[in-house]
Amino acid sequence: TKKSVEGESKSSYFVINKSEQKNAVSEEPSLDDYENIPIEGFGLAMLRGMGWKAGGSTSNSGSVFSTEPPLVRPRGLGLGADRITSSLIQKSVTKTGETLELAKGAYIEGFMDDDEDEENTPGYIDPDDVHFLRSLDPKNGSWQDQDHYAVLGLRKLRHKATEDDIKKAYRLKVLRHHPDKRRARGEEVHPDDDYFTCITRAYDILGNPRNRRSYDSVDPQFDNSLPVINEHSRNNFYEVFGKAFDLNSRWSEKMPVPKLGNESTPRGNVEKFYSFWYDFQSWREYSYLDEEEKDQAQGREERKWAEKQNKATRAKRKKEEMARIRTLVDTAYNMDPRIQKFKQEDKDRKMAAKQAKKVAARARQEEEERKALAAEEEMRKLKEEAEAEQRAKLEAMKAERETQKRALKKERATLRKIAKENNYYAKDTSEVIDNMASLEKICECLRLDERIAFLDGTGAPGVQIVPFHCLTQYIQ
């Protein structure tokens, strides 16, 4: 379809659909094509490009002929071509019946039809929103406030978009909104204040992994709010807090991130979940929000000061972010019905263990008391038996002593009787008294068996009677 740019007096813009362009140009030139062109052909081509016409001349008066903008040749035309001839371009009729015409100084560009463009647009890329793009502010400093994903048409994917998705989205934006493309469609473009700068800035941010992570950390569409403690969150705990944890799991350095689960989740998994989140390591950082621009600092000291200020601000925001995550985990832990059930089970188990311990201690004490009583009873019995045995022994000894005493008394009487009958074995009266004293000593000192043996000896025939005083000395 033929289109012309308003306000352009020297050149016109024409558009050829790709399907028609195939018929409009010959095969792409090769190296042999260029080698077949004479050397003067290159010079003539350069002169023609500068506006020189065959048969023209330059006067000696110094008048200068006017020049025209260089002709942009379509792909497939060599360096020596000055126009698209009928042999190269077969006049084709468009769907509307118009004849394609080319004029000198025209720009030719191939692009897809709008319908074909829309059909080849991936489903994850938003429909083109020109009004939104024109509302962007391309001035320096305002690019930090723009939604880069929205600019590239990736509102649906956002942080889930792959590098390939971002490249495809950017290419589509370039095809549709590049200043040259828009000029070709007759749109007035102001290079110093054009929204395409915002598209380029968006790709500079999202096309670089480091810059993208910095932007994703402060994604304006991310919900930093935490679930509110109310009746709804208590009754729908797993739904409300599961969504919050899934949302914040994107910041985790460790993957995979465990799920909150439900009321039937095993206790081990629940404990692992809270252990993971209480030791949560986030890659989220805040360099995108740096207030001091280090690159614009005048000197080394100013750059160091700017870097110091930015680091302090980042550290403060990082601390606030970790406090936010900890608040989320603490709130969930305190409201989790499974944790409350586990705590009650632990409490009951501790109480049962404590009660069992008390019962065991009481049983052990009773057993010890029983054993002590049994031992005491055994000791009492042994003591009584020992006492009875001792009494019996004492009684036996007493009876024996009584028996010996009676026998001794009897033997003493017998000995005195024998001594008396023998006149105390004295030769004269004076010796009787001494022998009587010796007899008493004999009765006191000799044992019963010795006395019996002595008495038996005194009555035996042929026994020599020993004088009492000699016997007394022997006994002493």
Side-chain angles (χ1 to χ4, degrees), residues 26-69:
S26 63
E27 294 182 357
E28 192 169 334
S30 64
L31 184 60
D32 294 337
D33 296 334
Y34 288 97
E35 291 178 350
N36 294 331
I37 298 176
I39 188 64
E40 59 270 16
F42 286 96
L44 291 174
M46 294 178 63
L47 291 174
R48 284 195 295 269
M50 297 172 62
W52 176 81
K53 296 181 179 179
S57 62
T58 304
S59 63
N60 295 328
S61 60
S63 60
V64 181
F65 54 81
S66 59
T67 61
E68 295 181 3

Side-chain angles (χ1 to χ4, degrees), residues 6 36 158 200 202 303 329 353-354 393 433 455:
E6 297 179 4
N36 294 331
R158 302 197 72 82
T200 305
R303 285 195 298 271
V329 181
K354 187 176 181 181
K393 188 175 180 179
I433 297 173
L455 291 175

Side-chain angles (χ1 to χ4, degrees), residues 210-251:
R210 182 176 179 182
N211 294 339
R212 183 186 180 186
R213 170 168 281 204
S214 178
Y215 174 71
D216 284 344
S217 296
V218 295
D219 188 348
Q221 297 300 319
F222 179 75
D223 186 8
N224 286 290
S225 63
L226 300 179
V228 181
I229 303 176
N230 53 29
E231 194 66 23
H232 173 73
S233 60
R234 289 190 180 93
N235 295 335
N236 301 275
F237 172 80
Y238 301 107
E239 178 182 355
V240 174
F241 281 87
K243 181 179 179 181
F245 280 109
D246 290 343
L247 190 64
N248 286 275
S249 64
R250 61 184 285 190
W251 311 123

Side-chain angles (χ1 to χ4, degrees), residues 33-269:
D33 296 334
Y34 288 97
E35 291 178 350
N36 294 331
I37 298 176
I39 188 64
E40 59 270 16
F42 286 96
L44 291 174
M46 294 178 63
L47 291 174
R48 284 195 295 269
M50 297 172 62
W52 176 81
K53 296 181 179 179
S57 62
T58 304
S59 63
N60 295 328
S61 60
S63 60
V64 181
F65 54 81
S66 59
T67 61
E68 295 181 3
L71 176 65
V72 179
R73 298 175 181 83
R75 185 177 181 181
L77 298 183
L79 182 62
D82 58 347
R83 63 175 59 86
I84 301 178
T85 63
S86 58
S87 62
L88 292 177
I89 301 179
Q90 301 175 357
K91 291 185 178 181
S92 60
V93 181
T94 62
K95 295 180 181 179
T96 59
E98 296 181 356
T99 302
L100 178 65
E101 296 180 359
L102 296 178
K104 186 175 181 179
Y107 293 89
I108 300 178
E109 177 182 355
F111 74 102
M112 293 183 292
D113 291 336
D114 293 340
D115 294 339
E116 184 181 357
D117 191 10
E118 292 296 333
E119 291 177 0
N120 294 332
T121 301
Y124 56 82
I125 297 180
D126 305 330
D128 208 20
D129 189 350
V130 179
H131 297 290
F132 167 71
L133 294 175
R134 288 176 177 173
S135 66
L136 299 174
D137 186 2
K139 295 179 182 179
N140 291 334
S142 61
W143 59 269
Q144 282 187 321
D145 299 328
Q146 77 178 20
D147 187 343
H148 300 306
Y149 286 111
V151 171
L152 295 184
L154 295 171
R155 287 188 179 94
K156 300 175 184 177
L157 293 181
R158 302 197 72 82
H159 71 282
K160 296 180 181 179
T162 64
E163 293 183 8
D164 189 53
D165 296 335
I166 294 173
K167 289 179 180 179
K168 288 181 180 179
Y170 176 65
R171 288 169 183 165
L172 281 175
K173 292 298 180 184
V174 171
L175 286 174
R176 295 169 181 171
H177 301 284
H178 192 278
D180 292 341
K181 309 284 184 179
R182 287 154 47 210
R183 287 192 190 97
R185 294 194 294 266
E187 181 179 339
E188 185 178 359
V189 178
H190 302 284
D192 297 336
D193 189 21
D194 187 65
Y195 66 82
F196 188 75
T197 304
C198 299
I199 297 176
T200 305
R201 173 63 70 175
Y203 183 70
D204 290 342
I205 295 297
L206 301 182
N208 183 292
R210 182 176 179 182
N211 294 339
R212 183 186 180 186
R213 170 168 281 204
S214 178
Y215 174 71
D216 284 344
S217 296
V218 295
D219 188 348
Q221 297 300 319
F222 179 75
D223 186 8
N224 286 290
S225 63
L226 300 179
V228 181
I229 303 176
N230 53 29
E231 194 66 23
H232 173 73
S233 60
R234 289 190 180 93
N235 295 335
N236 301 275
F237 172 80
Y238 301 107
E239 178 182 355
V240 174
F241 281 87
K243 181 179 179 181
F245 280 109
D246 290 343
L247 190 64
N248 286 275
S249 64
R250 61 184 285 190
W251 311 123
S252 177
E253 290 186 356
K254 297 179 180 179
M255 290 293 177
V257 179
K259 297 290 184 180
L260 177 63
N262 50 43
E263 64 276 0
S264 61
T265 302
R267 179 169 184 171
N269 293 352

Side-chain angles (χ1 to χ4, degrees), residues 225-442:
S225 63
L226 300 179
V228 181
I229 303 176
N230 53 29
E231 194 66 23
H232 173 73
S233 60
R234 289 190 180 93
N235 295 335
N236 301 275
F237 172 80
Y238 301 107
E239 178 182 355
V240 174
F241 281 87
K243 181 179 179 181
F245 280 109
D246 290 343
L247 190 64
N248 286 275
S249 64
R250 61 184 285 190
W251 311 123
S252 177
E253 290 186 356
K254 297 179 180 179
M255 290 293 177
V257 179
K259 297 290 184 180
L260 177 63
N262 50 43
E263 64 276 0
S264 61
T265 302
R267 179 169 184 171
N269 293 352
V270 175
E271 292 175 348
K272 288 180 181 178
F273 171 82
Y274 283 106
S275 176
F276 178 91
W277 280 95
Y278 271 118
D279 192 28
F280 187 73
Q281 298 179 13
S282 173
W283 56 261
R284 200 175 189 183
E285 52 95 9
Y286 298 90
S287 60
Y288 187 83
L289 300 177
D290 286 348
E291 298 178 359
E292 304 295 337
E293 297 186 10
K294 184 178 65 174
D295 297 337
Q296 296 183 3
Q298 298 298 324
R300 180 170 174 269
E301 293 299 326
E302 187 175 348
R303 285 195 298 271
K304 288 177 63 178
W305 178 85
E307 181 65 20
K308 182 178 180 181
Q309 293 296 115
N310 291 334
K311 283 185 178 180
T313 305
R314 295 175 203 166
K316 180 181 178 182
R317 287 174 175 150
K318 183 73 172 183
K319 185 177 181 181
E320 292 173 352
E321 166 64 8
M322 297 312 297
R324 186 185 69 86
I325 295 294
R326 183 58 183 261
T327 302
L328 170 64
V329 181
D330 287 340
T331 304
Y333 187 85
N334 293 330
M335 292 183 62
D336 196 331
R338 300 168 301 182
I339 297 298
Q340 298 174 6
K341 183 181 72 172
F342 297 155
K343 287 183 177 180
Q344 187 62 40
E345 291 175 353
D346 292 342
K347 184 178 180 181
D348 295 342
R349 186 164 52 252
K350 287 181 180 179
M351 290 296 296
K354 187 176 181 181
Q355 189 66 23
K357 189 176 181 180
K358 286 183 178 180
V359 172
R362 188 181 301 112
R364 186 167 57 253
Q365 183 178 1
E366 291 176 355
E367 180 66 15
E368 290 176 356
E369 291 177 355
R370 186 188 65 78
K371 289 182 179 180
L373 290 175
E376 185 178 352
E377 181 66 19
E378 185 68 19
M379 290 294 294
R380 186 182 64 78
K381 289 181 179 180
L382 292 176
K383 184 177 180 181
E384 289 179 355
E385 291 177 359
E387 290 177 352
E389 184 179 355
Q390 185 67 19
R391 284 196 301 270
K393 188 175 180 179
L394 291 175
E395 290 176 358
M397 291 176 61
K398 183 178 180 181
E400 185 179 359
R401 284 197 302 270
E402 290 295 332
T403 302
Q404 290 181 356
K405 186 177 180 180
R406 289 193 295 270
L408 183 59
K409 186 177 180 180
K410 180 180 178 181
E411 294 300 329
R412 284 178 181 175
T414 304
L415 182 58
R416 290 191 185 103
K417 182 180 178 181
I418 294 172
K420 186 177 179 181
E421 290 177 354
N422 291 283
N423 196 26
Y424 297 99
Y425 302 97
K427 297 179 180 180
D428 50 21
T429 306
S430 59
E431 192 177 359
V432 172
I433 297 173
D434 294 333
N435 288 344
M436 289 177 64
S438 298
L439 179 61
E440 292 301 324
K441 289 182 180 180
I442 290 172

